């Protein structure tokens, strides 16, 4: 256990679990407060109790593809999980020659040992690529119980982020059964799933029910990581607009703004590689109320943003686990903040007052 200071608060850094193999996402199990379901990019699925005991949950995802940045991504419980036991996974599927981002739905047993049953693939993104990069993969539920999913540009297919005939560089929205949401903005394009477009590789998305706002962040190239306020049908610019340059030093675009393109509410240059985000909406710590937490991979820190009329203002940042790469963040029902470190020996860490 170590101690750090955040927004003037003394916090304990408690390691709940070690030896996680590139953990990618986590969600609290509501019937066991303080326990978490954790995905590992390499395909593992773990239940970690409030005391730190780790159990493996067998998971046979249809056509799972693991290589490079590909593999098992997010886990999310349905809004009616208490009744339906429905659980959702995003992951890369198929082969190195032709792969994309998929969603599968199953049912999680209510007794230990936990099992996932009735597992079926319900969505396959129309973004087949060769290689293993830029999948997006974060999910969020909206007030109408539709599911939004972030999708990357496939790295070598960045121009397709502006093309509405496919799912490269898009955010898509679907019903709980994987069917297209009826009121999406482009019903005649790419199966009708597209919600927003012009994204590079988004790995953070949250829905703020109090303000009916979707917040999203995405990786820029060399510079130009962004936080965006997502709206249906809007163009977020990649690659015709960017604050960054190519990794080679070449210019991606001469434009940082263009008519018809939504400006980011915040941008990072140089890039810190934002990997996840969570809103703090809990009475436990008023100092954090309404703040946004963002984990950084290259930046190796947890950043805290305060709300402003325009969007967000950086309020604080801390190193966790001695300056480790951070992959995911969530807020528990008790108001504690949990983060996952990104490595072959990853950790689940609780930050508590």
């Amino acid at each position: 256990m170590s101690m750090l200071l955040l927004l003037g608060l003394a916090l304990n850094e408690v390691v709940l679990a070690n030896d996680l193999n590139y953990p990618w996402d986590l969600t609290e199990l509501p019937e066991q407060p303080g326990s978490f379901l954790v995905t590992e990019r390499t395909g593992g699925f773990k239940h970690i109790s409030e005391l730190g005991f780790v159990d493996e949950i067998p998971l046979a995802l249809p056509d799972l593809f693991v290589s490079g940045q590909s593999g098992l991504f997010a886990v999310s419980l349905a809004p009616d999980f208490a009744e339906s036991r429905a659980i959702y996974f995003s992951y890369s599927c198929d082969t190195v020659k032709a792969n994309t981002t998929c969603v599968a739905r199953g049912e999680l047993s209510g007794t230990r040992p936990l099992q996932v049953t009735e597992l079926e693939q319900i969505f396959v993104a129309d973004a087949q690529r060769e290689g293993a990069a830029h999948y997006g993969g974060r999910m969020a539920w909206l007030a109408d119980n539709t599911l939004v999913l972030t999708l990357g540009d496939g790295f070598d297919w960045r121009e397709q982020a502006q093309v509405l005939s496919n799912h490269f560089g898009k955010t898509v929205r679907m019903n709980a059964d994987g069917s297209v949401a009826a009121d999406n903005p482009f019903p005649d394009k790419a199966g009708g799933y597209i919600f927003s477009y012009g994204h590079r590789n988004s790995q953070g998305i949250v829905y703020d029910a109090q303000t009916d706002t979707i917040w999203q962040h995405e990786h820029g190239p060399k510079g130009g990581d962004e936080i965006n306020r997502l709206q249906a049908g809007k163009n977020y610019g990649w690659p015709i607009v960017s604050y960054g340059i190519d990794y080679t030093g070449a210019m991606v675009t001469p434009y940082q703004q263009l008519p018809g393109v939504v400006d980011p509410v915040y941008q990072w240059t140089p890039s810190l590689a934002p990997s996840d985000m969570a809103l703090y909406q809990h009475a436990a710590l008023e100092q954090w109320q309404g703040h946004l937490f963002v984990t950084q991979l290259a930046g190796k820190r947890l950043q805290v943003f305060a709300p402003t009329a325009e969007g967000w203002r950086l309020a604080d940042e801390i190193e966790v686990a001695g300056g480790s790469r951070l992959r995911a963040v969530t807020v528990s029902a008790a108001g504690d903040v949990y983060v996952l470190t990104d490595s072959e020996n990853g950790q689940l860490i609780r930050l508590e007052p």
Side-chain angles (χ1 to χ4, degrees), residues 185-253:
F186 304 105
D188 300 325
K189 304 290 186 181
Y193 282 96
I194 297 173
F195 182 79
S196 61
Y197 66 105
H199 303 295
R200 186 170 181 267
N201 189 28
S202 172
Q203 294 184 336
I205 191 165
V206 294
Y207 174 64
D208 183 353
Q210 295 180 8
T211 61
D212 190 29
T213 304
I214 306 170
W215 297 106
Q216 168 260 15
H217 66 51
E218 63 187 83
H219 297 275
K222 191 175 182 180
D225 300 342
E226 299 177 356
I227 297 178
N228 293 297
R229 180 188 288 108
L230 286 196
Q231 301 176 67
K234 297 297 185 181
N235 181 4
Y236 290 83
W238 178 255
I240 60 173
V241 165
S242 180
Y243 284 85
I245 59 175
D246 216 333
Y247 295 122
T248 63
M251 182 180 292
V252 174
T253 171

Side-chain angles (χ1 to χ4, degrees), residues 16-17 25-38 45-55 57 75 77 81 85 108-110 112 114 330-334 336 338 340 348 350:
L16 196 62
D25 195 23
L26 72 166
T27 189
E28 189 172 20
L29 198 56
E31 66 260 30
Q32 298 178 36
S35 76
F36 290 87
L37 303 171
V38 174
F45 186 41
K46 305 290 177 64
H47 173 238
I48 303 175
S49 76
E50 65 275 17
L51 298 178
F53 296 110
V54 180
D55 291 326
I57 304 174
V75 57
L77 305 181
F81 175 76
R85 305 297 297 182
L108 185 71
S109 62
R112 297 182 68 177
L114 295 177
T330 195
V331 178
S332 73
D336 294 324
Y338 289 76
L340 289 172
L348 172 60
R350 180 173 66 241

Side-chain angles (χ1 to χ4, degrees), residues 51-105:
L51 298 178
F53 296 110
V54 180
D55 291 326
E56 182 80 30
I57 304 174
L59 188 67
L61 288 165
D63 305 317
L64 174 66
F65 169 64
V66 179
S67 177
Q69 296 177 8
S70 72
L72 174 55
F73 303 134
V75 57
S76 183
L77 305 181
D80 66 347
F81 175 76
E83 295 77 33
S84 71
R85 305 297 297 182
I87 186 169
Y88 292 74
F89 302 93
S90 64
Y91 63 103
S92 55
C93 57
D94 297 328
T95 70
V96 69
K97 292 293 185 181
N99 57 84
T100 187
T101 306
C102 292
V103 175
R105 180 184 63 181

Side-chain angles (χ1 to χ4, degrees), residues 24 59 83 108 153 166 200 206 254 256 261 266 274 280 335 337:
W24 211 93
L59 188 67
E83 295 77 33
L108 185 71
D153 68 351
N166 61 63
R200 186 170 181 267
V206 294
Q256 295 181 343
V261 172
Y266 188 91
Y280 194 90
V337 177

